[in-house]
Amino acid sequence: MSITDTGTDTGTETEIDTGTGTGTAPDPDPDPDTVSWNREALDEILSNDEGRPVLFTNARILTMDPLIGTMTGADLLFVGSLVVGVGPAIVTAAGDDNAIVVDCTGMTIAPAVVDTVALAGGRSHRSEYVATLTPGNTPDFLVVPDEFAADVASAVATLVTRPEQVRALVAAGRPVLWAGTDAPGRATAPEAGVPASADLTGSPRVGVWIDRHDFLHQELTADGRYDETRGGRPHAYQGRYWIDGDRIDYLDDLGFWAYGEFQGDELHHAGYVMKLG
């Protein structure tokens, strides 16, 4: 049995083999210079430095929100990295708002990140849900032809097994994949492996951080090493650390990883709140 893809503007049909061993497989490497699905919209989104709203319109939307549910012929509106609207007829205001409009006829929009805790009934309030296509959440979503997106699971499976069929993968409002190919300027994953320690000479975050109860003393040195004193016990934990923005990652010499966050003049780590001594 084969499925015919009609979700492009080219008018051509591509047969997909669904396991019978017959049919013609799609070209896995389409020419990125001949994007056939909403190319103008992609160019506008990539050059959107003015904060224009972006509207994906006329789609079936699997919001995964228990109140909103699944909508057909609906629109998803976001500004920057925030979903601001979902539902039918939002497109009527697109011209007034100078929105970038992406036609998604024949497409399903699904969350690219799934809140499995919420799906299992492990959250008591909608406000606790993450990764749903709900106003106030981050626009992380997939656009997949309807025939490959009966539900969220099959939409995500399409991304993994048939990425050439994905019309768009959007992360925090920015395209990552478009028409089955990498979007220009997309983020790239960091290289695997433990990085070298940076030279932090002169960094205002180097020094001894002390918690409010004077129990934990954590010294961060300019060579990327840390040394903890706990309850007067010196060298309780030692290892390497890396700072990325306000995030700090620790790799202890014993082999475990830990995390902390700088908040103003405080360092929050493992339940402790520290300040430079």
Side-chain angles (χ1 to χ4, degrees):
M1 181 178 68
S2 63
I3 297 175
T4 301
D5 174 21
T6 59
T8 66
D9 298 342
T10 62
T12 60
E13 296 183 351
T14 304
E15 288 186 342
I16 308 298
D17 183 12
T18 61
T20 63
T22 62
T24 303
D27 179 2
D29 297 306
D31 185 347
D33 294 327
T34 58
V35 173
S36 59
W37 188 77
N38 283 299
R39 177 56 187 263
E40 291 184 2
L42 171 63
D43 292 341
E44 286 189 278
I45 294 172
L46 293 177
S47 61
N48 183 20
D49 298 325
E50 303 171 358
R52 294 170 59 192
V54 180
L55 182 74
F56 282 64
T57 185
N58 199 31
R60 173 172 166 262
I61 302 179
L62 309 175
T63 70
M64 300 306 292
D65 181 282
L67 179 62
I68 301 173
T70 296
M71 294 182 162
T72 57
D75 308 327
L76 180 70
L77 178 67
F78 59 91
V79 178
S81 60
L82 190 70
V83 175
V84 297
V86 60
I90 300 177
V91 70
T92 57
D96 298 335
D97 298 334
N98 192 30
I100 299 169
V101 178
V102 185
D103 180 20
C104 295
T105 301
M107 302 290 154
T108 292
I109 297 177
V113 181
V114 179
D115 186 349
T116 54
V117 175
L119 288 176
R123 303 199 191 280
S124 58
H125 300 284
R126 284 181 65 236
S127 59
E128 298 173 349
Y129 279 50
V130 296
T132 57
L133 297 180
T134 304
N137 280 358
T138 303
D140 293 329
F141 61 90
L142 286 163
V143 182
V144 180
D146 290 341
E147 60 265 36
F148 297 121
D151 50 29
V152 172
S154 58
V156 174
T158 298
L159 172 64
V160 175
T161 62
R162 297 178 174 178
E164 72 279 356
Q165 294 295 338
V166 174
R167 295 298 180 265
L169 170 60
V170 176
R174 297 292 295 179
V176 176
L177 295 178
W178 198 273
T181 64
D182 288 349
R186 61 164 285 175
T188 56
E191 293 184 6
V194 178
S197 297
D199 181 0
L200 296 173
T201 301
S203 170
R205 288 168 171 170
V206 167
V208 179
W209 293 82
I210 303 172
D211 86 297
R212 60 188 62 174
H213 302 295
D214 199 32
F215 176 83
L216 175 65
H217 292 208
Q218 185 182 94
E219 182 180 9
L220 304 180
T221 58
D223 60 354
R225 296 280 302 175
Y226 69 91
D227 189 346
E228 287 190 3
T229 297
R230 290 184 173 232
R233 178 166 58 97
H235 315 307
Y237 292 103
Q238 296 174 296
R240 301 167 64 185
Y241 74 91
W242 297 265
I243 295 175
D244 183 4
D246 289 330
R247 177 188 177 105
I248 179 170
D249 290 285
Y250 306 90
L251 173 56
D252 195 83
D253 289 342
L254 296 175
F256 66 83
W257 289 83
Y259 158 81
E261 184 179 24
F262 295 98
Q263 298 181 13
D265 62 349
E266 297 176 340
L267 171 55
H268 293 239
H269 164 65
Y272 296 96
V273 179
M274 298 173 277
K275 290 192 174 184
L276 273 173

